[in-house]
């Protein structure tokens, strides 16, 4: 499975000297690299790990509320906005996002009734940056202590109109849980959202409708149009059982692009306090791309051990690649038994996508004809949204080779990844440790590159790539050498794992203890991705939205990463220095949204990679420079450990 539509870029990259690669940004596009996909497979014991992501497992659990602000002209000629806000405890924190506008913020408490400038009443006002990357959204963070509970009024005044947001942290124990009903994000589909509120301290039982005064779904389409959808707990809006505390609503995905869905709830807590919560969801929608044209596959033997299984599709596209997955089942003593799962990135060729099966999986299962594929799914490679699926496809096999009847002692790499292509052995010369940055990032490793022996800095600075596009760029850059290992920051860790899992590269030639090492990678997503997309709908997103970094997008991605590949990733997490007598954080702005412990971008919980190698959590280090503690990439002790143990 070879595709490489811009050979000149590859030829140019192979001719570059290593010194030039270190000095100049990597210029090839994400589609430039000639690349060979692995033919993946695994045992039936991995069926659960490779199953489609369950939306409930990637739900947001929100403790805050993001309020849109639109300044309107008043009678005195100035512009203003006002909203009641619930102060649930003795402390209050909120963020004001005004872009490049100058806003005057005032507050009115329920006891004195006085309208006061927020910065005079607050114990602190700090300027910070909200986002996943170096290019986030500036915000003013206001902190208040020992204030009366109840309903306050928050007001904003300015000399001109404008739009922005206020993000309010809830001090109470109420949490809003919200997620999609299904990951069916194709044009023409109705996208369902469900939500419930629970009390973190008392129980996880949903708070009923009698305690909630508003449950609303607000959707911003790719065109910027905003629609409002009331959410119901009536059993008729994809919400399950009526009156169970779970609310539902849906909207029509009428165009391709990114939709921003916001769930907003208002209510009264069990202690009688008002509260408000919201959760923000980035939902990419793609065009219908193909459909199955047959529920039958004829296997063709391609070498002594392997078969190709063609999947016929109807599509207007002439080329491209898709992520595929299917379970193989066969017969044993008249009963259907699982043989293996197969999949990977498959290239579209003449109306077919091809999967591959090693006959030794048949031997391991002791199976024979008839064979069939089950739970087939075909997904786009950038968002992992299903474009076609089938519960069952019949497979006609030729006469089975000897390897399908010979018992095997162990599962080989060739059974898991396919035949190693000869071209991998011929690519580049020498060995190297690649230092890979993250999403929309500057040179995170540049200042400490000298702490890593025999290393080269990958440079695709301040760019937004899907995991697949990012991985293909790393592969192209790594072609300069025969073998390489990776030390990565943030999204770079996920992209490197994606590369190893799906494509042949110099990673497969590397020797050493740790093939991939990462710091601060949100393997299971970050809450900032959804909120950054919402903020970007008003202010614009310089680097663009990235659905792979949301909770739901990360879950869908992981559903295609084998446990064998995950075991090659060694990961570290960090968080701020925790002082019992101080309010601690990495980023005063993102702290309102994230759940401790976190590094200002990645929460420790969501930095975990199931079946990966957890190398530990360390306090006193934040995600990037400019945060309260030093950037995690500058930890010389950890860097020395990673350099010494890195494969190359």
């Amino acid at each position: 499975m070879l595709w490489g539509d811009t050979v000149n870029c590859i030829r140019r990259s192979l001719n570059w000297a290593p010194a030039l690669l270190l000095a100049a940004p990597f210029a090839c596009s994400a589609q430039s690299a000639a690349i060979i996909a692995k033919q993946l497979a695994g045992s039936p014991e991995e069926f659960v790990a490779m199953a489609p992501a369950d939306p409930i497992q990637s739900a947001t659990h929100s403790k805050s509320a993001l309020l849109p602000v639109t300044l309107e002209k008043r009678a005195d000629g100035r512009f203003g906005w006002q909203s009641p806000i619930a102060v649930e405890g003795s402390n209050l924190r909120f963020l004001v996002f005004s872009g490049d506008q100058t806003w005057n913020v005032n507050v009115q408490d329920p006891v004195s009734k006085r309208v006061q400038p927020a910065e005079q009443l607050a114990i602190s006002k700090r300027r910070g940056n909200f986002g996943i990357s170096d290019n986030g959204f500036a915000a003013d963070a206001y902190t208040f202590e020992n204030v009366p509970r109840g309903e306050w009024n928050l007001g904003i005044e300015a000399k001109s109109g404008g739009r922005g947001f206020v993000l309010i942290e809830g001090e109470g124990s109420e949490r809003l849980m919200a997620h999609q009903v299904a990951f069916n994000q194709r044009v023409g589909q109705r996208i369902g959202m469900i939500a419930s509120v629970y009390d973190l301290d008392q129980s996880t039982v949903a708070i009923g409708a009698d305690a909630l005064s508003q449950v609303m779904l607000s959707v911003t389409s790719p065109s910027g149009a905003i629609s409002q959808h009331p959410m119901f707990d009536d059993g008729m809006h994809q919400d399950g059982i009526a009156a169970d505390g779970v609310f539902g609503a849906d909207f029509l995905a009428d165009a391709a692009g990114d939709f921003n869905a916001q769930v907003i709830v208002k209510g009264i807590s069990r202690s009688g306090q008002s509260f408000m919560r919201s959760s923000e969801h980035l939902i990419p929608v793609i065009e219908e791309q193909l459909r199955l044209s047959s529920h039958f596959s004829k296997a063709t033997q391609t070498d002594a051990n392997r078969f190709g299984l063609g999947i016929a599709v109807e599509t207007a596209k002439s080329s491209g690649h898709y992520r595929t997955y299917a379970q193989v089942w066969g017969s044993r003593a008249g009963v259907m038994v699982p043989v293996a799962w197969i999949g990977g990135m498959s290239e579209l060729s003449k109306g077919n996508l091809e999967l591959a099966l090693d006959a030794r999986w048949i031997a391991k299962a002791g199976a024979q004809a008839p064979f069939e594929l089950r739970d087939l799914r075909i997904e786009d490679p950038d968002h992992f949204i299903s474009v076609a699926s089938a519960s069952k496809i019949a497979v006609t096999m030729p006469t089975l080779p000897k390897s399908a009847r010979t018992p095997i002692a162990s599962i080989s790499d060739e059974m898991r990844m396919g035949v190693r292509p000869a071209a991998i052995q011929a690519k580049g010369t020498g060995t190297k440790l690649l230092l890979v940055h993250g999403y929309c990032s500057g040179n995170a490793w540049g200042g400490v590159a000298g702490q890593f022996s025999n290393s080269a800095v990958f440079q695709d600075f301040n760019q937004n790539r899907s995991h697949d596009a990012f991985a293909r760029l790393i592969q192209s850059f790594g072609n300069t050498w025969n073998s390489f290992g990776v030390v990565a920051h943030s999204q770079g860790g996920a992209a490197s794992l994606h590369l190893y899992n799906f494509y042949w590269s110099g990673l497969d030639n590397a020797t050493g203890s740790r093939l991939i090492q990462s710091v601060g990678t949100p393997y299971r997503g970050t809450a900032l991705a959804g909120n950054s997309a919402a903020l970007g709908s008003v202010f614009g997103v310089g680097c663009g939205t990235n659905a792979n970094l949301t909770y739901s997008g990360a879950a869908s991605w992981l559903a295609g990463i084998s446990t064998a590949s995950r075991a090659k990733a060694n990961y570290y997490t960090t968080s701020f220095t925790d002082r019992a007598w101080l309010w601690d954080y990495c980023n005063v702005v993102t702290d309102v949204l994230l759940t401790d412990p976190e590094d200002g971008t990645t929460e420790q919980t969501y930095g975990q990679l199931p079946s990966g190698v957890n190398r530990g959590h360390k306090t006193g280090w934040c995600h990037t420079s400019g945060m309260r503690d030093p950037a995690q990439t500058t930890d010389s002790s950890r860097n020395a450990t990673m350099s010494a143990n890195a494969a190359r």
Side-chain angles (χ1 to χ4, degrees):
M1 299 179 185
L2 174 66
W3 54 90
D5 51 350
T6 52
V7 177
N8 288 337
C9 185
I10 291 300
R11 185 181 297 116
R12 187 167 64 251
S13 71
L14 291 174
N15 289 334
W16 280 347
L20 179 58
L21 287 168
L22 288 174
F26 186 65
C28 294
S29 74
Q31 300 301 321
S32 65
I35 193 164
I36 304 174
K38 294 178 176 177
Q39 298 174 336
L40 303 179
S43 66
E45 288 75 19
E46 298 175 13
F47 283 0
V48 173
M50 301 297 290
D54 182 354
I56 197 171
Q57 298 301 319
S58 56
T60 62
H61 295 259
S62 174
K63 62 177 181 177
S64 60
L66 184 68
L67 307 181
V69 174
T70 300
L71 300 183
E72 297 180 345
K73 194 171 185 178
R74 303 184 309 197
D76 61 3
R78 290 180 61 82
F79 290 79
W81 172 88
Q82 186 170 305
S83 175
I85 61 172
V87 177
E88 304 164 29
S90 59
N91 301 318
L92 168 66
R93 275 199 294 169
F94 62 77
L95 312 177
V96 176
F97 297 88
S98 60
D100 57 2
Q101 307 163 83
T102 300
W103 286 359
N104 298 317
V105 182
N106 58 67
V107 292
Q108 181 184 42
D109 70 78
V111 177
S112 71
K113 305 293 185 180
R114 292 175 53 200
V115 177
Q116 303 179 70
E119 59 187 289
Q120 291 185 13
L121 187 60
I123 64 166
S124 70
K125 175 187 175 183
R126 294 182 175 92
R127 188 75 167 170
N129 188 64
F130 182 98
I132 313 171
S133 69
D134 301 337
N135 301 309
F137 303 93
D140 291 315
Y142 295 85
T143 302
F144 304 78
E145 290 184 353
N146 300 316
V147 296
R149 299 184 182 186
E151 187 172 279
W152 288 44
N153 282 313
L154 176 63
I156 295 174
E157 295 181 341
K159 294 181 179 180
S160 60
R163 297 173 62 197
F165 293 91
V166 172
L167 179 63
I168 303 171
E169 181 181 37
E171 193 176 20
S173 58
E174 288 70 33
R175 296 291 184 269
L176 165 63
M177 183 175 80
H179 59 84
Q180 289 176 235
V181 175
F183 297 138
N184 61 328
Q185 298 128 255
R186 300 185 305 278
V187 173
Q189 298 288 316
R190 298 201 69 85
I191 309 297
M193 297 290 300
I194 59 176
S196 60
V197 179
Y198 64 93
D199 189 316
L200 188 65
D201 290 341
Q202 298 184 29
S203 73
T204 58
V205 178
I207 295 174
D210 56 339
L212 302 177
S213 59
Q214 177 184 342
V215 186
M216 181 70 69
L217 172 65
S218 178
V219 179
T220 303
S221 73
S223 68
I226 299 174
S227 58
Q228 305 285 342
H229 310 267
M231 303 186 75
F232 299 94
D233 181 14
D234 57 5
M236 300 174 64
H237 290 80
Q238 304 188 57
D239 58 300
I241 302 171
D244 63 350
V246 179
F247 293 76
D250 62 21
F251 64 92
L252 177 65
D254 57 0
D258 289 336
F259 285 76
N260 291 304
Q262 182 184 44
V263 176
I264 307 163
V265 300
K266 297 178 182 178
I268 303 296
S269 69
R270 290 188 172 97
S271 62
Q273 295 293 325
S274 297
F275 69 88
M276 178 187 296
R277 300 286 185 269
S278 75
S279 64
E280 289 67 43
H281 306 261
L282 171 60
I283 303 177
V285 172
I286 63 174
E287 296 279 3
E288 293 280 359
Q289 298 179 5
L290 56 79
R291 68 182 184 88
L292 298 178
S293 58
S294 173
H295 280 64
F296 172 83
S297 177
K298 183 178 180 180
T300 303
Q301 189 167 347
T302 56
D303 64 31
N305 295 318
R306 303 185 72 78
F307 297 98
L309 283 70
I311 305 299
V313 298
E314 292 182 2
T315 176
K317 299 180 67 176
S318 59
S319 63
H321 64 291
Y322 292 86
R323 190 172 80 167
T324 58
Y325 170 88
Q327 298 173 7
V328 180
W329 289 66
S331 175
R332 187 174 64 212
V335 177
M336 296 301 288
V337 296
V339 174
W341 66 264
I342 58 176
M345 293 294 180
S346 299
E347 183 184 10
L348 178 64
S349 177
K350 298 180 180 179
N352 276 275
L353 293 167
E354 187 170 289
L355 285 73
L357 172 65
D358 192 303
R360 287 168 288 191
W361 288 109
I362 298 175
K364 184 176 183 297
Q368 58 185 3
F371 292 94
E372 62 188 26
L373 299 180
R374 295 185 182 180
D375 295 340
L376 169 72
R377 65 181 193 262
I378 302 170
E379 302 165 338
D380 84 296
D382 291 312
H383 303 98
F384 318 110
I385 299 169
S386 177
V387 296
S389 62
S391 58
K392 188 179 296 186
I393 287 183
V395 176
T396 298
M397 283 279 193
T399 302
L400 295 179
K402 181 180 179 181
S403 57
R405 304 187 303 273
T406 304
I408 63 170
S410 60
I411 299 171
S412 66
D413 286 345
E414 187 172 288
M415 290 172 63
R416 290 190 180 278
M417 297 185 293
V419 178
R420 177 187 291 266
I424 295 300
Q425 301 294 344
K427 293 286 186 183
T429 58
T431 66
K432 194 67 65 175
L433 176 62
L434 304 191
L435 305 180
V436 180
H437 57 73
Y439 160 81
C440 196
S441 172
N443 195 356
W445 297 107
V448 295
Q451 297 176 11
F452 297 88
S453 63
N454 189 25
S455 65
V457 177
F458 170 81
Q459 299 185 32
D460 185 43
F461 300 147
N462 303 312
Q463 299 298 318
N464 174 22
R465 312 289 189 191
S466 68
H467 288 350
D468 191 65
F470 201 153
R472 290 157 70 89
L473 285 175
I474 297 170
Q475 188 266 356
S476 296
F477 177 72
N479 274 348
T480 303
W481 303 280
N482 176 260
S483 69
F484 61 84
V486 170
V487 165
H489 180 240
S490 197
Q491 189 197 1
S496 300
L497 175 56
H498 184 99
L499 171 60
Y500 177 76
N501 186 76
F502 289 111
Y503 303 116
W504 292 100
S505 74
L507 279 170
D508 297 284
N509 291 338
T511 58
S513 176
R514 302 181 188 178
L515 187 65
I516 298 169
Q517 300 178 84
S518 67
V519 180
T521 297
Y523 286 107
R524 296 173 56 207
T526 171
L528 303 188
N531 285 72
S532 293
L535 294 169
S537 68
V538 169
F539 300 119
V541 182
C543 259
T545 56
N546 193 312
N548 292 173
L549 298 175
T550 65
Y551 293 148
S552 56
S556 294
W557 168 68
L558 277 173
I561 306 298
S562 71
T563 54
S565 294
R566 297 183 194 190
K568 299 293 186 179
N570 302 260
Y571 64 93
Y572 296 86
T573 55
T574 71
S575 61
F576 50 80
T577 300
D578 195 0
R579 307 173 184 87
W581 62 93
L582 287 175
W583 167 41
D584 292 306
Y585 54 85
C586 269
N587 184 336
V588 66
V589 175
T590 61
D591 187 62
V592 172
L593 194 69
L594 300 175
T595 299
D596 295 340
E598 40 88 1
D599 66 9
T601 297
T602 302
E603 296 153 302
Q604 182 183 5
T605 298
Y606 291 94
Q608 305 302 301
L609 175 64
S611 300
V613 182
N614 187 344
R615 293 295 177 180
H617 182 84
K618 191 173 183 180
T619 61
W621 302 91
C622 294
H623 198 77
T624 60
S625 59
M627 295 187 177
R628 191 167 183 176
D629 292 331
Q632 54 198 194
T633 57
T634 63
D635 184 344
S636 59
S637 174
R638 179 168 51 240
N639 290 348
T641 298
M642 291 194 293
S643 180
N645 289 280
R648 291 174 176 84

